[in-house]
Amino acid sequence: MKPLNTRTIQVRAALLAAAATVLATAPAHAQQAAADEAPEGEIIVTAQKRAQSSLDVGITLSVAGEEVLAAKRVEAVTDLVSFTPNVSVKDNVPGLVPVITIRGVGLNDFSATNNPSAGVYVDEVSLSSLALMNFDFFDLARLEVLKGPQGTLYGRTATAGALNIVTARPSLAGVEGRIGGSWGNYQAKDIEGMINLPVSETLALRLAAKGIFQDKGHYFNQRLGRDIGRREVYLGRVQALWEPSERVEVLLKVEGQSSRSELGSGEFFGAFPTPALPAGAACPGAPQCSDFFGYFDNDGDPFRGNWSVSPDYNLDQLGLTARIQADLGFATLTSVTGYIKFDRQWSADTDAGPLPQLDFVTDDRVKQFSQEVRLSGESDLVNWLVGGFYSSDHVETSYSGDLTALFNTTSFTSSDQRSKSRAVFANGEWRLADALTLVTGLRYTSESRTNVGGTTDLVSRPPASFLTMAPFGSPPIPIAVSNARISDTNWSWKLGLNWKPSPQMLVYASATQGIKSGGFFAGVATSSGQLLPYRPEKLIAYELGIKGRAPALGLGYSLSGFYYDYNDVQTFIRDVVGSLPIQRLGNVKTAKVYGLDADFVLSPAALEGLTLNAGLGLLHTEIGSFASSSGVVPAGNQLPDAPEFSLNLGASYEFALSGSVSAKLAVDGRYQSSAFKDALNDPVVAVEAYWVWNARASILRKGDWDLSIWGKNLGNKRYVTQGVNQTVLGVGFRVYGAPRTYGVSISKSF
């Protein structure tokens, strides 16, 4: 890993100081804050920009609170799949660029310049770039996964759904604190602390920090002769809650992240047969297939390889948020302001072999500012909300390519992209009768985006570049250039009915339109035509659902069916406009999606302490015809990352060991059927069906301490999460999910 610079030392010192403050100020006998408890069994969410019972929200959603997040060790975006079906999360590079797909709707891209199809919001601030998805969770109140387009209430319109990340807020009720840590295999450990401090009757502070240290990676680079994938991450957050009167609330937040870690690499596969190829085996696909230089990898270990890039991964991020809420009497005014500054450097070995064929050093920089203002109120007739949203982001990304082994040259690819989004929106929930509500929502959005960049052959080695055939000594040759601006205006809308036949049941139906804006491909290109902008995508979702509770049976349930009319789908296509085919983001004219979501939680009164849960996802996707490098692909292919069947199962049992001490045993599993990784439905990079099982055993005294042993992927299942086939250049690679991890955790609350 690289030595620390002065800025990094300052960032880490500040984060460690926050952690030290947490530990030093935690009193031995602090009183606990009084929580605002909901009625037993009720789940409070903010999916519609206000605190509501989940049974009042006509949306399919999955919620994980603080206890579930800890029990399942939900520590990053990739862990969302552990508690909700019909959701897929993949890393485009091991440990990097997670992409969320909900009900088959996602984004098959890797560039920092793109914004996700599933909107991600941290304390109501929209994250504008895929690069911002890489962060670790700590001191959270809950996660909310909303399924289906969220076009009328959220900062940026989203076609797939939304992930709401809600951090734990300061409280004026009293002093409380927590300190905890974990130790696990691969020499992994972490430490986390939190302190809530009421400073006065109107001001409270909450400080939280976390450090993650892993001294052994689960990858082994034979070229370096050592393991890679080590981690050193520091996170810190300071929040201040000021309530100068009963009518005004101000919440300010500063948070930062610093990482000096390492990334793994994908497993190589080649295009050409070798003498070691068994009879009947074919290339590509078999492990005995090689690249142009005869290299192949048949050791059977997806975490072992000969990678030719540095594994170093360096990241620094700063985030500022201000939320101001004022009760005006007739309505409530809410302002949410967000600012993020982000910088990272990393390398990718996209040929996954020992020679520099397709090696890239990447630099991503993001600055974003957003402002949302809402006015909401209610009368006997309607619960209403109107608002406006503005965002501005500047994303710079570059790839320094080492192509010397394959093309005898180096290259430089860059994209300087600036985006602005402006929107006004309104939402109303109209009381048609005591048990019947009409939901209407409308949003007008205007967006503009400029892009300057392209790919340049640096013609860096004698006798000539094999990329452009220019002789050595020639000046750098631009081979793809973009200097363009696009703009778009669109309407999103929602129309729904909510019927509550009883306080414990909701039946809902809705039609919703969501839009994802167009943009520019920012990867390596061999022709300016490959950098032409892609169009906005539009999705209209029709959904019918029922959710409720049966307290006498200890049962909670949610069931929904959906149908999507999906147009101008943004997905990876193989482009042959230039001298070499590339995978780039483009549009496919149409697709249709339909399926089923079901969730059940059972806590039978006859077996006190036992909780069973199950989540089921059924999905059918069908994409229209489109052009590819091999000609026109007929309609009927499946969307990428859209398994037809997904299942989540879990069971926990808590029982008393003494008057104040209890034990808890928990196990959970996740199943996913086979899925494709691109719109071509390429079988070489398709994913086979798999199960992953996790377990946890705890001894705890509620509100005091918790000692647990845990394991994730207990069966050490090796399963593919992403695959890229570029065997036209002789190579491809597959990314695998993490192997078995296990350890012990302890925490103490004050």
Side-chain angles (χ1 to χ4, degrees), residues 97-257:
V97 198
V99 173
I100 304 170
T101 300
I102 301 175
R103 293 174 169 175
V105 181
L107 181 64
N108 228 13
D109 195 13
F110 53 80
S111 175
T113 60
N114 213 329
N115 50 295
S117 296
V120 179
Y121 304 85
V122 180
D123 293 330
E124 301 183 74
V125 174
S126 169
L127 303 186
S128 63
S129 166
L130 286 179
L132 301 178
M133 305 298 107
N134 269 103
F135 55 91
D136 294 271
F137 298 150
F138 71 108
D139 196 33
L140 298 186
R142 66 185 177 278
L143 295 178
E144 303 173 355
V145 179
L146 284 61
K147 299 179 181 179
Q150 307 299 318
T152 58
L153 281 176
Y154 281 83
R156 267 188 140 100
T157 59
T159 47
L163 167 63
N164 286 340
I165 301 169
V166 183
T167 64
R169 289 163 49 106
S171 171
L172 293 167
V175 179
E176 63 174 324
R178 183 180 65 253
I179 179 69
S182 297
W183 298 264
N185 59 333
Y186 298 104
Q187 300 178 24
K189 51 256 181 201
D190 63 65
I191 183 169
E192 181 177 352
M194 175 278 295
I195 182 73
N196 184 86
L197 294 170
V199 178
S200 68
E201 292 183 353
T202 61
L203 178 64
L205 300 177
R206 188 180 185 103
L207 293 83
K210 184 175 184 179
I212 303 170
F213 313 96
Q214 183 175 324
D215 297 329
K216 183 179 180 181
H218 57 256
Y219 295 87
F220 190 87
N221 189 334
Q222 293 170 292
R223 192 169 181 269
L224 296 177
R226 69 170 179 87
D227 62 89
I228 60 172
R230 305 171 186 182
R231 300 192 71 202
E232 188 176 328
V233 182
Y234 299 83
L235 306 108
R237 182 185 302 128
V238 179
Q239 295 189 82
L241 174 65
W242 181 43
E243 296 183 357
S245 71
E246 292 183 355
R247 291 180 173 269
V248 177
E249 174 190 280
V250 179
L251 180 62
L252 305 177
K253 181 181 71 172
V254 179
E255 57 188 345
Q257 178 179 0

Side-chain angles (χ1 to χ4, degrees), residues 546-567:
I546 182 172
K547 61 174 76 174
R549 291 191 300 271
L553 301 175
L555 176 66
Y557 59 90
S558 173
L559 184 68
S560 62
F562 54 89
Y563 177 86
Y564 291 174
D565 183 7
Y566 197 7
N567 292 282

Side-chain angles (χ1 to χ4, degrees), residues 11 21 53 56 72 166 293 319 455 501 579 634 642 678 691 706 735 745:
V11 171
T21 303
S53 166
D56 293 330
K72 294 182 180 291
V166 183
F293 301 94
T455 297
S579 58
D678 61 12
W691 275 101
D706 183 329
V735 178
S745 300

Side-chain angles (χ1 to χ4, degrees), residues 221-224 265-270 289-297 304-310 348-360 402 405 726 729-734:
N221 189 334
Q222 293 170 292
R223 192 169 181 269
L224 296 177
S265 284
E267 183 191 38
F268 169 92
F269 66 86
C289 302
S290 77
D291 61 13
F292 283 115
F293 301 94
Y295 172 75
F296 62 94
D297 179 5
R304 190 179 187 93
N306 285 276
W307 302 297
S308 55
V309 300
S310 167
D349 187 344
T350 61
D351 61 87
L355 298 177
Q357 302 182 63
L358 300 168
D359 295 356
F360 298 93
D402 187 346
Q726 46 195 7
L729 300 175
V731 296
F733 67 89
R734 300 181 182 92

